[in-house]
């Protein structure tokens, strides 16, 4: 029977020869990931349900990255990190990345890639909706809540409905003024925020396979914004080169059969697309930058699992070099590795950190920070009637803090160009 | 699971995301401490824009200022209810506010799973759009055996989609209870 990559991976995980969309299966989980917001209630449910002598199904498969509310004086938020620390101590967990130590990583989805937990052909669940990011490595990954995570923590298993797949093929050569963010925002405008609900979004085509891993992760990251269960890109030599630098783990590469069945297919020529934004207050409220250029801004933000990777800062630096920002602009490297790399990587002989600082950006410590608002003292948080342009993933009412604020989502190129002018600006004005 | 429940409607639009259901800044409270967890009820649906809070007129908070529970125990919503983040705090907050049933045109996957697996809400889907037919404050009855919503003010009846595959989990009261019943995990 012909199958999609997602069906093949789920069949393997369920111990079956084949699976069919709509079928409920019990999966064997390869990695469970959690963080400071959902980890503590997950542990509490696990103890309540399995008792004080509860056992973790496999300590090596549990990964905990505190990342959400880290650099805050909020005592409740700090308590959550303490709960994780005590849990890691008590059970002697090998994969806990504690705040305030050299092991601290930052945003979980980026750290999963850096620390080589993303392995082609495997199944990863995480207590975060953007867990779909890991699908860029040709694996099945999706977000779950605390109860499901607690169930996995005790059993290593979870039920899932096999999703139908939607295929998005990008042909052509990506122009220098576009990034993966423009592509996914374009898709969102076409299929809306529930266009992929309960489905897998499979990305394909020469323009996708020409992208570095970081950009592929931007595509799969925002599958959830269309309601997708997962986003996936089959592994290729780019994936293998990324893995080779980080791990000796063996893996199996799956690809969709040529005659696999899809719920729907979409084909785009990237050379015909334009720099794109999502206007307030929904990621599917798509427009081209040209139509909203001149919109006055009060804040710019470059960060998060979606838009806080090295590639994103390199794009921003290309525009920010020898320029000054006109509005407060916050730069939040997604991980501590990226923060360190900003000092090493250069553009035109100047380190990216220097370029960002010289332009007047505020560089913050690695965490989820203001992408999701967070506690009142979170750096870069939207206040009052802020009008923000951001490389992050969501702009629902109140997402970045203030309920009165307005958030535009865009590529790092568009955000950097807008930071320099103080109004929404097409990056082609600078490139 | 009771055979029937009755109560008052709270009506919402499309795409009510998890940040509107429980804003991220409130995710820091303990979900196991009885007193502290009441805050989730207090802030349930607190970030829904004013004009869309309690349709058709809007401007009606789900939970009154200073209270921890709602006067409304049945939510009627549009499409894609619970989209956004994976926070289980979302269905939990609605439950803590005293509401156990949502009837929406459709749900985001993670919210739906959390509602069912956590045993917090019965997530019914309606067969026809209801959020333009029912007003906030209408007295409603739900007949779980017949999958029927009855507006007690004028006795209109609306069909609800059967709960399907997840009914055994809902009837058991959540994923863990279901797994114990079926012998998947041992009783503590």
């Amino acid at each position: 029977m012909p199958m999609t990559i997602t069906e093949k991976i789920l069949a393997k995980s369920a111990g079956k020869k084949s699976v069919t969309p709509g079928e409920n299966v019990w999966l064997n989980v390869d990695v469970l990931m959690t963080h400071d917001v959902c980890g503590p209630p997950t542990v509490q449910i696990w103890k309540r349900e399995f008792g004080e002598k509860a056992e973790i199904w496999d300590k090596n498969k549990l990964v905990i990255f505190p990342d959400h509310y880290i650099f805050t004086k909020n005592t409740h938020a700090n308590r959550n990190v303490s709960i994780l620390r005590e849990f890691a101590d008590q059970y002697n967990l090998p994969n806990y990345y504690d705040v305030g130590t050299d092991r601290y990583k930052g945003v979980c989805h980026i750290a999963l890639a850096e620390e080589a937990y993303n392995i082609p052909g495997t199944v990863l669940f995480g207590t975060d909706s953007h867990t779909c990011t890991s699908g860029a490595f040709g694996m099945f990954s999706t977000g779950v809540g605390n109860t499901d995570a607690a169930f996995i923590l005790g059993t290593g298993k979870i039920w899932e409905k096999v999703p139908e797949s939607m295929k998005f093929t990008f042909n052509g050569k990506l122009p220098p003024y576009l990034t993966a963010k423009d592509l996914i925002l374009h898709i969102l405008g076409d299929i809306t925020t529930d266009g992929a609900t309960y489905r897998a979004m499979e990305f394909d085509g020469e323009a996708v396979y020409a992208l570095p891993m970081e950009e592929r992760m931007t595509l799969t990251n925002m599958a959830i914004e269309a309601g997708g269960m997962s986003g996936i890109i089959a592994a290729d030599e780019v994936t293998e080169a990324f893995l080779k630098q980080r791990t000796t783990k063996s893996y199996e590469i799956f690809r969709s059969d040529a005659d696999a069945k899809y719920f729907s297919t979409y084909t785009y020529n990237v050379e015909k697309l334009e720099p794109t934004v999502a206007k307030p207050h929904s990621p599917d409220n798509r427009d081209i930058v040209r139509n909203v250029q001149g919109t006055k801004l009060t804040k710019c933000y470059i960060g998060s699992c979606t838009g806080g990777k090295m590639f994103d800062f390199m794009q921003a630096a290309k525009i920010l070099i020898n320029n000054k920002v006109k509005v407060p602009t916050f730069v939040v490297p997604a991980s501590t590795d990226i923060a360190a790399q900003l000092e090493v990587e250069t553009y035109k002989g100047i380190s990216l950190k220097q370029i960002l600082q010289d332009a007047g950006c505020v560089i913050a410590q690695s965490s989820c920070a203001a992408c999701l608002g967070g506690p009142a003292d979170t750096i870069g948080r939207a206040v009052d009637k802020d009008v923000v342009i951001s490389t992050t993933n969501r702009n629902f009412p109140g997402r970045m803090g203030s309920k009165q604020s307005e958030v535009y989502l865009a590529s790092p190129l568009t955000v950097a160009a807008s930071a320099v002018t103080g109004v929404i600006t097409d990056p082609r004005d600078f490139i | 699971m009771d055979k029937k429940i009755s109560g008052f409607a709270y009506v919402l639009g499309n795409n009510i995301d998890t940040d509107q259901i429980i804003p991220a800044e409130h995710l820091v409270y303990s979900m196991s401490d009885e007193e502290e967890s009441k805050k989730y009820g207090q802030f349930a649906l607190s970030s829904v824009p004013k004009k869309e809070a309690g349709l058709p007129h809007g401007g009606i908070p789900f939970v009154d200022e200073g209270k921890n529970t709602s006067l409304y125990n049945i939510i009627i919503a549009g499409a894609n209810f619970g989209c956004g983040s994976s926070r289980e705090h979302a269905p939990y907050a609605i439950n803590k506010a005293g509401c156990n049933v949502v009837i929406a045109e459709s749900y985001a996957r993670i919210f739906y799973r959390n509602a069912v697996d956590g045993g917090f809400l019965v997530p019914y889907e309606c067969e026809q759009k209801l959020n333009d037919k029912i007003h906030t404050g209408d007295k409603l009855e739900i007949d779980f055996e017949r999958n029927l919503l009855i507006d007690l003010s004028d006795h209109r009846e609306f069909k609800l989609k059967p709960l399907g595959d997840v009914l055994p989990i809902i009837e058991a009261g959540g994923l863990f209870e279901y797994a114990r019943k079926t012998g998947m995990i041992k009783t503590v």
Side-chain angles (χ1 to χ4, degrees):
Chain A
M1 196 178 81
M3 286 192 282
T4 65
I5 178 173
T6 301
E7 289 152 18
K8 287 180 187 182
I9 294 169
L10 293 184
K12 182 190 167 208
S13 174
K16 292 177 160 225
K17 274 194 175 156
S18 67
V19 293
T20 315
E23 176 183 358
N24 281 322
V25 290
W26 284 91
L27 301 173
N28 291 298
V29 177
D30 293 300
V31 171
L32 172 68
M33 187 279 299
T34 190
H35 52 51
D36 54 301
V37 169
C38 295
T42 295
V43 171
Q44 171 242 316
I45 294 170
W46 170 74
K47 281 190 177 162
R48 183 188 74 204
E49 298 294 338
F50 291 100
E52 278 306 313
K53 287 181 184 165
E55 284 180 30
I56 297 167
W57 105 99
D58 189 337
K59 281 184 203 177
N60 292 313
K61 294 180 176 178
L62 172 65
V63 186
I64 306 178
F65 297 108
D67 63 354
H68 273 59
Y69 305 153
I70 306 304
F71 305 105
T72 172
K73 291 196 171 75
N74 184 298
T75 51
H76 288 111
N78 293 337
R79 181 183 61 187
N80 273 339
V81 176
S82 300
I83 292 170
L84 289 182
R85 186 174 297 136
E86 281 161 27
F87 174 62
D89 275 350
Q90 188 185 350
Y91 292 88
N92 201 16
L93 299 181
N95 308 322
Y96 175 60
Y97 295 85
D98 201 6
V99 181
T101 72
D102 289 348
R103 283 174 63 77
Y104 176 67
K105 289 290 162 197
V107 183
C108 57
H109 311 297
I110 305 308
L112 280 171
E114 290 172 347
E115 297 299 300
Y117 293 107
N118 290 345
I119 300 294
T122 61
V123 168
L124 183 152
F125 281 79
T127 60
D128 191 288
S129 63
H130 291 107
T131 303
C132 51
T133 311
S134 296
F137 289 78
M139 59 195 287
F140 177 84
S141 62
T142 192
V144 288
N146 310 331
T147 298
D148 284 351
F151 195 88
I152 296 169
L153 193 57
T155 65
K157 292 182 192 300
I158 195 67
W159 69 274
E160 191 57 89
K161 190 192 284 285
V162 177
E164 292 179 296
S165 290
M166 298 169 81
K167 191 172 183 177
F168 300 87
T169 305
F170 287 98
N171 295 322
K173 188 170 179 289
L174 196 69
Y177 50 83
L178 294 181
T179 71
K181 184 65 172 288
D182 297 291
L183 307 188
I184 191 68
L185 289 177
H186 193 82
I187 289 176
L188 278 157
D190 280 353
I191 70 173
T192 79
T193 52
D194 61 357
T197 299
Y198 254 105
R199 300 197 189 104
M201 295 173 73
E202 188 176 323
F203 302 95
D204 194 14
E206 58 183 325
V208 170
Y209 285 104
L211 296 173
M213 289 315 295
E214 291 172 293
E215 282 282 88
R216 296 181 190 189
M217 288 164 73
T218 302
L219 285 181
T220 51
N221 173 273
M222 288 186 71
I224 184 64
E225 266 49 81
M229 181 190 289
S230 59
I232 195 161
I233 300 168
D236 67 352
E237 64 277 3
V238 175
T239 324
E240 295 209 75
F242 186 100
L243 291 167
K244 206 175 167 187
Q245 287 181 357
R246 292 166 177 84
T247 182
T248 53
K249 287 176 197 166
S250 61
Y251 50 85
E252 192 177 353
I253 291 180
F254 292 89
R255 289 190 181 87
S256 292
D257 292 321
D259 51 351
K261 280 202 183 104
Y262 290 90
F263 173 81
S264 55
T265 56
Y266 295 78
T267 305
Y268 301 95
N269 180 349
V270 292
E271 291 162 32
K272 290 188 175 157
L273 299 181
E274 299 220 24
T276 303
V277 291
K279 296 183 288 188
H281 291 286
S282 180
D284 65 3
N285 194 11
R286 178 189 68 194
D287 210 334
I288 57 171
V289 175
R290 289 279 190 229
N291 285 347
V292 291
Q293 64 187 1
T295 304
K296 216 169 171 318
L297 299 164
T298 61
K299 209 171 257 179
C300 297
Y301 191 94
I302 308 174
S304 83
C305 53
T306 314
K309 303 181 262 27
M310 269 317 288
F311 185 89
D312 301 304
F313 295 118
M314 181 59 87
Q315 304 314 302
K318 286 177 185 172
I319 287 177
L320 292 171
I321 191 165
N322 300 326
N323 277 313
K324 294 271 183 217
V325 299
K326 276 224 177 94
V327 285
T329 299
F330 297 88
V331 163
V332 190
S335 73
T336 51
D337 281 11
I338 294 168
Q341 203 61 25
L342 284 179
E343 300 188 36
V344 180
E345 289 261 355
T346 59
Y347 179 66
K348 294 192 172 170
I350 307 171
S351 80
L352 298 194
K353 188 174 182 182
Q354 195 68 52
I355 293 171
L356 296 165
Q357 275 174 345
D358 288 351
C361 299
V362 177
I363 303 180
Q365 289 171 285
S366 301
S367 80
C368 298
C371 172
L372 75 161
D377 59 353
T378 303
I379 193 159
R381 193 178 195 272
V383 295
D384 302 328
K385 290 184 175 173
D386 260 343
V387 181
V388 187
I389 193 161
S390 174
T391 64
T392 54
N393 44 56
R394 281 186 192 134
N395 59 347
F396 295 121
R399 164 71 177 182
M400 290 188 76
S402 164
K403 287 175 215 173
Q404 287 84 42
S405 64
E406 297 195 335
V407 177
Y408 290 79
L409 305 176
S411 78
L413 289 168
T414 302
V415 173
S418 305
V420 171
T421 59
V423 296
I424 294 179
T425 300
D426 192 302
R428 282 172 291 190
D429 294 355
F430 286 84
I431 294 172
Chain B
M1 197 163 142
D2 297 331
K3 287 178 181 170
K4 282 181 183 177
I5 65 154
S6 62
F8 295 98
Y10 190 76
V11 183
L12 292 162
N14 294 331
N15 299 313
I16 300 296
D17 81 289
T18 54
D19 275 291
Q20 293 177 60
I21 296 172
I22 182 77
E25 65 194 283
H26 300 307
L27 303 180
V28 295
Y29 309 124
S30 169
M31 297 169 86
S32 51
D33 181 275
E34 205 186 318
E35 199 52 40
E36 198 175 317
S37 66
K38 287 178 182 168
K39 287 197 179 283
Y40 286 102
Q42 182 185 342
F43 294 113
L45 290 166
S46 62
S47 207
V48 177
K50 229 178 180 177
K51 61 178 195 281
E52 289 153 49
L55 296 175
H57 304 296
I60 306 169
F62 180 59
V63 179
D64 284 334
E65 184 103 26
K67 296 277 185 348
N68 297 324
T69 54
S70 177
L71 301 168
Y72 310 99
N73 57 345
I74 298 170
I75 289 173
I76 307 288
N80 204 24
F81 191 78
C83 60
S85 91
S86 70
R87 64 190 71 157
E88 190 160 308
H89 312 70
Y92 176 81
I94 294 172
N95 172 290
K96 289 298 280 186
C99 172
N100 300 315
V101 183
V102 178
I103 301 172
E105 286 162 51
S106 63
Y107 294 88
R109 165 184 164 269
I110 309 178
F111 181 92
Y112 184 84
R113 283 186 74 104
N114 288 343
V116 169
D117 284 356
F120 302 122
L121 302 170
V122 179
Y124 260 123
E125 286 183 353
C126 41
E127 289 212 335
Q128 55 170 312
K129 188 175 170 64
L130 290 182
N131 65 350
D132 59 350
K133 297 177 183 69
I134 288 167
H135 293 187
T136 295
D138 282 0
K139 180 114 199 253
L140 305 175
E141 182 180 270
I142 294 171
D143 184 330
F144 291 105
E145 285 186 331
R146 293 163 64 211
N147 294 315
L148 213 58
L149 173 73
I150 302 145
D151 189 331
L152 294 175
S153 57
D154 52 17
H155 299 283
R156 285 178 299 169
E157 294 191 352
F158 302 99
K159 276 189 189 162
L160 305 173
K161 290 184 189 168
L163 292 159
D165 287 351
V166 297
L167 182 63
I169 302 177
I170 293 171
E171 284 182 335
L175 180 62
F176 281 98
E177 289 74 7
Y178 171 79
R180 276 192 204 98
K181 251 183 160 177
T182 53
M184 275 191 74
I185 59 170
K186 285 181 211 150
T187 304
V188 177

